[in-house]
Amino acid sequence: WSVGELTGDNQLHISESSPALHYGQQGFEGLKAYRTKGGSIQLFRPDQNAARLQNTARRLCMAEVPTEMFIDAVKQVVKANEDFVPPYGTGATLYLRPLLIGVGDVIGVKPADEYIFTVFAMPVGSYFKGGLAPSKFVISRDYDRAAPLGTGGAKVGGNYAASLQAEVGAKA
């Protein structure tokens, strides 16, 4: 891994033949930075997010992001965006999205030779609007979101893409 840098550019510039686009060689995480009552900023177990991204990387034959590098990148992004961490008590947070993608000129089903690891941030409101309350659910046996012997244990976009049709149907 090379030493990363902070940037305000939210565009990734990659080859159109990158394995992330054609073969789904990508994984991501999601975690939040919270402001405490005293005004400091906290992360909740970023080492566990690093471990889960490493598990995803192993499952998809990707280069693993070392835990120290993952945590350092997350902390740098939080520090650079600390003005956007909402005040304590609002239920809002600074959402962080670490992303790992296979890139390069690869046409053929094989692991990438190079990878991009990036972390971006955005302030978000409370996940549960109005607080925790019972929710209505639809259980469908017509779709599989993530096969257990496939990528079910990895945090990859394909697992979420597989849920979209069922979600649209449930909302309808």
Side-chain angles (χ1 to χ4, degrees), residues 31-46:
L31 64 156
K32 297 176 180 180
Y34 300 86
R35 196 163 299 272
T36 67
K37 198 176 213 177
S40 65
I41 298 172
Q42 298 285 313
L43 293 166
F44 180 69
R45 300 186 327 174

Side-chain angles (χ1 to χ4, degrees), residues 2-129:
S2 62
V3 176
E5 63 181 328
L6 287 170
T7 178
D9 183 3
N10 69 343
Q11 302 296 308
L12 294 177
H13 306 278
I14 63 172
S15 170
E16 61 191 354
S17 63
S18 290
L21 302 174
H22 298 275
Y23 310 115
Q25 199 181 27
Q26 54 82 5
F28 64 94
E29 276 300 312
L31 64 156
K32 297 176 180 180
Y34 300 86
R35 196 163 299 272
T36 67
K37 198 176 213 177
S40 65
I41 298 172
Q42 298 285 313
L43 293 166
F44 180 69
R45 300 186 327 174
D47 60 318
Q48 297 300 304
N49 292 94
R52 187 165 62 174
L53 187 61
Q54 290 162 356
N55 180 62
T56 294
R58 282 190 297 277
R59 182 67 182 90
L60 299 179
C61 298
M62 299 174 75
E64 292 182 38
V65 177
T67 301
E68 301 76 29
M69 181 181 168
F70 180 98
I71 293 173
D72 181 59
V74 167
K75 285 182 176 181
Q76 283 189 50
V77 169
V78 170
K79 184 164 179 51
N81 291 279
E82 65 186 331
D83 291 344
F84 298 102
V85 179
Y88 173 80
T90 62
T93 61
L94 183 69
Y95 181 75
L96 304 161
R97 173 55 61 92
L99 175 67
L100 177 62
I101 61 173
V103 296
D105 295 318
V106 177
I107 288 295
V109 183
K110 70 178 195 90
D113 294 323
E114 56 186 295
Y115 299 89
I116 292 175
F117 170 61
T118 186
V119 180
F120 65 92
M122 70 189 89
V124 295
S126 176
Y127 190 78
F128 297 102
K129 310 267 185 278

